[in-house]
């Protein structure tokens, strides 16, 4: 008979007997990153890229709009890929501290992206509608 008192014992035995995840119960994330090492290399590179994005684009949108927007979108895609990889592997085994740490690192990188692009919106607003419309008309990639 099942009672509330037996629940801790059942959970304890289920956790103790938890084998490694079955292959069919795991994500194939090799199209995202081929290995943990590749992910870690991309993470380190992304952090440097975000520092460069912030230092080269803050206060420069009026003269480098297309380049800065392209760099911001590229950084956003990279941060999303890093998060997808780390979060899905972390979710396979929520008790795995290494993957929990990687997932948190990827989430911190998303915060860093927000910080790096925080000045974009006020800068774009300060340019004014006519200047932005002229930039978009001159460069369809911005549309």
């Amino acid at each position: 008979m099942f009672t509330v008192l037996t629940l801790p014992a059942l959970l304890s035995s289920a956790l103790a007997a938890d084998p490694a995840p079955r292959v069919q119960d795991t994500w194939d994330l090799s199209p995202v990153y081929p290995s943990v090492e590749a992910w870690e290399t991309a993470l380190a590179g992304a952090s440097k890229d975000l520092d460069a994005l912030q230092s080269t684009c803050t206060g420069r949108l009026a003269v480098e709009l297309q380049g800065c927007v392209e760099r911001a979108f590229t950084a956003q895609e990279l941060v999303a890929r890093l998060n997808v990889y780390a979060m899905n592997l972390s979710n396979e085994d929520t008790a795995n501290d290494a993957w929990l740490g990687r997932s948190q690192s990827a989430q911190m990188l998303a915060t860093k992206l927000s910080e790096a692009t925080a000045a974009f919106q006020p800068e774009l607003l300060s340019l004014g509608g006519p200047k932005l419309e002229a930039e978009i008309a001159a460069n369809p990639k911005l549309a």
Side-chain angles (χ1 to χ4, degrees):
M1 170 179 222
F2 176 75
T3 66
V4 175
L5 297 175
T6 61
L7 185 58
L10 287 172
L11 288 174
S12 178
S13 65
L15 290 173
D18 189 25
R22 300 176 311 166
V23 172
Q24 63 268 30
D25 294 335
T26 62
W27 299 98
D28 176 15
L29 295 171
S30 59
V32 180
Y33 288 102
S35 66
V36 175
E37 293 78 17
W39 180 87
E40 288 173 342
T41 300
L43 181 74
S47 184
K48 291 176 185 172
D49 290 348
L50 292 177
D51 290 337
L53 174 68
Q54 186 170 15
S55 66
T56 59
C57 290
T58 299
R60 307 258 324 137
L61 292 183
V63 293
E64 293 187 42
L65 183 60
Q66 180 186 345
C68 289
V69 168
E70 287 176 353
R71 278 182 256 161
F73 283 135
T74 299
Q76 187 177 28
E77 180 183 358
L78 178 58
V79 168
R81 287 184 61 194
L82 287 161
N83 270 287
V84 163
Y85 188 83
M87 290 173 75
N88 280 306
L89 287 170
S90 177
N91 288 337
E92 280 182 5
D93 181 1
T94 57
N96 185 320
D97 289 337
W99 278 111
L100 180 61
R102 289 182 185 108
S103 180
Q104 289 172 345
S105 293
Q107 289 171 10
M108 289 184 346
L109 196 64
T111 300
K112 189 172 185 175
L113 173 62
S114 294
E115 292 170 0
T117 58
F120 279 34
Q121 186 174 8
E123 267 188 71
L124 291 172
L125 290 172
S126 72
L127 292 176
K131 169 109 170 113
L132 284 176
E133 289 174 12
E135 287 283 340
I136 291 169
N139 190 344
K141 287 184 175 183
L142 290 173

